[in-house]
């Protein structure tokens, strides 16, 4: 959304939350296997994105950011006030994931389960950008007026990008819930959405590889700086500042 439509959504944690709680609720209330609920959760998330996408995309700039921020807050409030259905502020506990008798109960197995969809999603996203929808989004990013004169359905492709991004958020949320085994409303707050935005901004908004690099940097850097104790956060902040100033387009750009 950010790199190819020019919109800045602050809602990805909300979509991740919908995916996570869809996984949990389908498993706990419909007695479906966790691996199946992880597969179904992204489609549930994309459905909600389509319901909210059209009215949200009617506004631009910081207004769009505010609208998506509001949607993320609504998701958090609904989860927190869901009572027994969502576990409220106490959260929900899920049983271990079992795939064809293979129990995912250690870090190595979790890594394998995450690696497979990671590779598939990365390959699919690269392919998506090379096909007609990706080229249309690129044209809209460069010159929207010119793209419209060529017959490109700007609203349709923007909604498609919004739904696809939410689908990926649902994938992430489903995996998070299934493999962590416990979820709560604190996992999907506004600050988490800002955290994800920082990853993309640092890595490169128009680069799949940049998104991966930004996620790695924001996640791993605090761990490498942990030995600095109280100064670690300050040093990390300085590193982020230098990257934004000297590499405004991100670390990796196509």
């Amino acid at each position: 959304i950010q790199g190819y439509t020019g919109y800045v959504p602050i809602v990805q944690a909300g979509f991740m939350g919908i995916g996570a709680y869809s996984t949990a609720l389908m498993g706990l209330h419909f007695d479906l296997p966790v691996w199946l609920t992880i597969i179904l959760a992204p489609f549930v998330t994309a459905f909600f994105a389509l319901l909210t996408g059209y009215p949200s995309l009617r506004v631009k700039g910081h207004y769009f950011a505010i609208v998506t921020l509001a949607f993320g807050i609504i998701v958090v409030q609904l989860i927190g006030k869901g009572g027994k259905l969502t576990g409220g502020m106490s959260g929900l506990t899920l049983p271990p994931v079992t795939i064809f008798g293979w129990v995912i109960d250690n870090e190595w197995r979790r890594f394998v389960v995450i690696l497979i969809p990671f590779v598939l999603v990365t390959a699919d996203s690269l392919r998506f950008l090379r096909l007609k929808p990706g080229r249309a989004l690129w044209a809209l990013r460069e010159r929207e007026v010119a793209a419209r004169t060529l017959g490109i359905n700007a609203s349709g492709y923007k909604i498609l990008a919004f739904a696809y991004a939410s689908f990926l958020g649902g994938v992430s949320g489903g995996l998070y819930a299934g493999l962590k085994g416990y979820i709560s409303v604190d996992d999907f707050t506004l600050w988490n959405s800002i955290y994800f935005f920082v990853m993309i901004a640092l890595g490169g908004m128009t680069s799949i590889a940049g998104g991966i690099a930004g996620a790695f940097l924001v996640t791993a850097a605090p761990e490498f700086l942990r030995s600095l104790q109280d100064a670690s956060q300050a040093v990390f902040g300085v590193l982020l500042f230098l990257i934004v100033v000297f590499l405004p387009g991100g670390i990796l750009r196509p």
Side-chain angles (χ1 to χ4, degrees), residues 115 117-123 125-126 196 198-220 251-252:
L115 179 64
F118 169 76
V119 172
L120 292 175
V121 163
T122 302
S125 297
L126 290 170
F196 298 146
V198 170
M199 292 178 180
I200 300 300
L202 292 179
M205 291 190 180
T206 57
S207 169
I208 301 296
I212 297 170
F216 175 80
L217 176 65
V218 174
T219 304
I251 298 172
L252 299 175

Side-chain angles (χ1 to χ4, degrees), residues 30 60 84 86 103 113-114 135-136 141 184 189-190 193 237-239:
F30 296 98
K60 296 183 178 181
K84 293 182 179 180
T86 64
V103 181
V113 171
I114 292 173
R135 297 196 301 270
R141 183 192 67 189
S184 72
T189 62
L190 167 64
S193 288
V238 171
L239 289 175

Side-chain angles (χ1 to χ4, degrees), residues 221 224-225 228-242:
F224 290 123
L225 297 172
L228 299 177
Q229 297 179 352
D230 293 340
S232 61
Q233 293 295 325
V235 173
F236 182 56
V238 171
L239 289 175
L240 295 183
F241 174 79
L242 293 174

Side-chain angles (χ1 to χ4, degrees), residues 60-186:
K60 296 183 178 181
H62 59 280
Y63 294 106
F64 177 79
I66 293 172
V67 169
T68 56
L69 184 151
F71 179 72
I73 294 175
I74 290 171
V75 171
V76 169
Q77 290 298 314
L78 290 176
I79 292 173
K81 304 296 183 181
K84 293 182 179 180
L85 179 65
T86 64
M89 301 303 293
S90 301
L92 292 173
T93 300
L94 282 73
V97 178
T98 302
I99 303 177
F100 303 116
W102 194 47
V103 181
I104 314 302
D105 56 357
N106 59 54
E107 293 302 318
W108 169 247
R109 292 182 178 182
R110 292 189 185 96
F111 174 78
V112 172
V113 171
I114 292 173
L115 179 64
I116 294 172
F118 169 76
V119 172
L120 292 175
V121 163
T122 302
D124 185 64
S125 297
L126 290 170
R127 181 173 176 271
F128 176 83
L129 294 177
R130 294 192 186 102
L131 295 176
K132 181 180 178 180
R135 297 196 301 270
L137 289 173
W138 180 85
L140 289 170
R141 183 192 67 189
E142 296 298 317
R143 293 287 187 275
E144 182 170 336
V145 175
R148 288 178 180 271
T149 61
L150 294 174
I152 294 176
N153 184 351
S155 298
Y157 281 112
K158 289 177 181 178
I159 291 174
L160 175 63
F162 194 69
Y164 183 67
S166 68
F167 181 89
L168 298 184
V171 172
S172 178
L175 288 170
Y176 183 83
L179 298 181
K180 186 181 179 183
Y182 171 79
I183 54 173
S184 72
V185 68
D186 294 332

Side-chain angles (χ1 to χ4, degrees), residues 19 22-23 26 32 34-45 167:
S22 297
T23 296
M26 284 188 288
L32 296 176
V34 178
W35 65 267
L36 179 59
T37 64
I38 292 175
I39 294 174
L40 295 176
F43 294 96
V44 176
T45 308
F167 181 89

